[in-house]
Amino acid sequence: MSTGPIRPTGRAYTALRPASAARITGGFWAARRRTNAEVSIPQGPARLEAAGNLANLRAAADGKGTFTGDYPFQDSDVHKWLEAASWQLADRPEDDGEGEGEGEGGTELASHVDELIALLAGAQEADGYLQTYYRLARPEQRWQDLRWGHELYCAGHLLQAAVAHHRATGQYELLAIGVRFAVLIDTLFGQDRAIDGVCGHPEIETALMELYRETEEQRWLDLAAYFVERRGQGLLSEGAGRDPGAGYWQDHIPVREATTVTGHAVRQLYLLAGATDLAVETGDAGLRAALERIWAAMAGTKTYLTGGLGARYDWESFGNPYELPPDRAYAETCAAIASVQWSWRMALLTGDAKYSDLVERTLFNGFLSGVGLDGDSWLYVNPLQVREAHEEFGGDDSVRRTPWFRCACCPPNVMRLLASLPHYMVSGDAEGLQLHQYATGVYEAGGGRVRVETDYPWRGRIAVTVEAAPADADWTLSLRIPSWCPDFTATAPDGDSPAETVPGWLRLRRRWHPGDSLTVDLDLSPRLTRPDPRVDGVRGCVAIEHGPLVHCLEGEDQRAGVPFEELTLPHDAHLTVRHEPELLGGVTVVTADGRSRGGADVVPLTAVPYHVWANRRPGPMRVWIPRE
Ligand code: FUB
Ligand code: ZN
């Protein structure tokens, strides 16, 4: 059974199921995950200590002390770290001999996990309630501020950590803590209960759905369904204090009636992920149709080239359709993560490759930019342009990498996605196995097992070797052909010809024997991408892409003496690709003959992958380059 974050029940109405086992053993993602395992996750407890999160848990256990931190949801950073650490513990090294799953590093990690679980156990109140902010700073005021209190949000992250820990280790302590809190919530919330309300920040929905999957208890699905369906009825829009309007917390329209994404981006995307889990388990066709419609509007009109989401700094929210300014792009790292979580659920629900296309775009660009190459410095916002004369005020929305944030939602969120990344690569169904993303590793799904070898995203060759398949039946191997890919070739056993019989999927159905291999070469030729003309902020510009990677110009790489803001690119520029093993940990750069605005002289331009920007000294950057 899958040890990843999503495990649909056997009854689920889902086209595809996540792999039952998945290991990334080499290549691009293995390197980034190693940094996550060896730097990001291990430094988590010290960061949480320094920021006061752990002191809050100790004070809550003692029943006295003051609350440290600026936000009521500080505990959720601990929960997200625990979830990340749990997935990491489940990641058992086989042939790569690296990683944190076993051995000394794994033991140390396990003991940190145990320490934090003990702190949570101590901080939990007798009736199951667990949020240090209310215990320490607002005693007697539980559940009175559903708009900003984040109580169900924190409970949701606790439950996700609890499910991860149970799934990864088979141990019950954290699951028991989570279930005690969930039982309390279940006794209080509902249309016929003491509190008829929803949380200002969705998150509990998808957490309860996974608790349902983990425990097989119907009450958790029912409670998740209540929170999904009750939203959109104006329960949150009235009240004292700051009121951004019902749309901010998606309380203006029920999910099943909505036509697009609105309001705070992370709130919206977590809600839609939870609603998708619900549709998967109930087979609710109306809900599914709404989700497909909303996703299409988001992908078509509110998504940056990098996969970034939530354009507006105001309320960290989605803007209007095509309101995608490159310089004032908020594109919170957490929104990219939430988008991956939602799109992957949609891919499983429908089997449609377009959802995994967006997962890929987001993973390689708007998500990965959120963490520095050192694994210890972060971006909260992910703009597509920083000017030479950028005025930097610091704070969480700095365009300089930062060791931690006052609102530290993003770093542990990155950690949990990277730690569970193998889960997002492959699925299976009754027919066979589908490769959604390409990373060297071993994947088991759909009744078979394959080994993948690839230098993706630097090179387009993907070699898939079947290690196990049904001996006496035909079996289908499917590889996603990314929508950006202009061409590909495939070499199959016995001269067989795989075909794109389903859009986006190259499929080969045959009798497979262990050792048979299928090799696909995706054409990664660099390309110039024009923006949608309705995106005013980048009209007249082009962007450079190379395979799944969006590239950007950084000041550091350009010819000295030519003002960065003056650089332009002819619309028919010839693009050249060069691998630079010593640059930024080893990247492929794209070069082109540019110009300085209005000038006749050629100015060579060098574009690095967007995900590595801001890893050197501060300077200007742009994805969209003015056309000459
Ligand atoms: O409100 C909790 C988290 O803090 C949100 O998900 C982020 O956008 C940040 O506002
Ligand atoms: Zn965040």
Side-chain angles (χ1 to χ4, degrees), residues 269-522:
L269 296 164
Y270 283 172
L271 173 65
L272 295 167
T276 308
D277 285 328
L278 188 61
V280 163
E281 293 298 339
T282 59
D284 184 325
L287 191 53
R288 172 180 167 151
L291 292 162
E292 290 177 331
R293 177 174 73 227
I294 298 167
W295 190 93
M298 177 185 85
T301 70
K302 298 195 180 186
T303 304
Y304 281 103
L305 190 68
T306 54
L309 290 164
R312 289 190 187 166
Y313 276 64
D314 288 347
W315 301 105
E316 307 182 303
S317 64
F318 286 104
N320 292 321
Y322 308 107
E323 183 187 332
L324 295 166
D327 41 5
R328 290 296 286 174
Y330 198 74
E332 183 183 339
T333 302
C334 281
I337 293 164
S339 164
V340 168
Q341 293 172 343
W342 181 34
S343 289
W344 177 230
R345 284 164 169 82
M346 292 299 287
L348 295 174
L349 173 62
T350 63
D352 196 324
K354 70 183 177 196
Y355 299 107
S356 295
D357 275 349
L358 184 58
V359 170
E360 173 176 78
R361 177 170 291 285
T362 310
L363 282 176
F364 277 117
N365 303 291
F367 157 70
L368 197 54
S369 54
V371 54
L373 286 168
D374 57 6
D376 200 14
S377 59
W378 311 89
L379 288 177
Y380 189 115
V381 298
N382 297 275
L384 282 77
Q385 180 180 2
V386 175
R387 289 167 208 288
E388 195 144 38
H390 174 77
E391 259 189 273
E392 176 63 42
F393 298 109
D396 288 355
D397 55 11
S398 169
V399 298
R400 315 273 187 251
R401 293 191 183 275
T402 311
W404 205 245
F405 302 111
R406 232 161 41 95
C407 173
C409 49
C410 302
N413 220 358
V414 171
M415 293 176 208
R416 69 180 182 143
L417 181 55
L418 282 175
S420 59
L421 194 67
H423 170 84
Y424 294 84
M425 301 279 130
V426 163
S427 66
D429 63 5
E431 302 281 298
L433 181 148
Q434 304 83 33
L435 290 154
H436 296 247
Q437 309 297 338
Y438 300 119
T440 292
V442 183
Y443 307 95
E444 212 169 284
R449 187 174 66 246
V450 298
R451 174 175 292 275
V452 175
E453 274 152 7
T454 182
D455 281 332
Y456 201 75
W458 311 126
R459 293 197 180 78
R461 170 157 297 192
I462 295 134
V464 186
T465 305
V466 172
E467 292 194 340
D472 47 7
D474 284 356
W475 195 67
T476 307
L477 199 50
S478 306
L479 278 77
R480 182 179 59 86
I481 301 299
S483 55
W484 51 259
C485 182
D487 198 11
F488 62 86
T489 56
T491 314
D494 309 324
D496 257 359
S497 300
E500 211 178 337
T501 46
V502 175
W505 290 110
L506 182 70
R507 289 151 52 95
L508 181 55
R509 184 162 185 80
R510 71 192 301 273
R511 197 65 56 93
W512 292 93
H513 306 288
D516 284 351
S517 61
L518 171 61
T519 301
V520 174
D521 284 283
L522 301 176

Side-chain angles (χ1 to χ4, degrees), residues 73 150 153 201 264 266 316 332 380 407 409:
F73 50 87
H150 287 76
Y153 168 86
H201 198 313
H264 184 270
V266 185
E316 307 182 303
E332 183 183 339
Y380 189 115
C407 173
C409 49

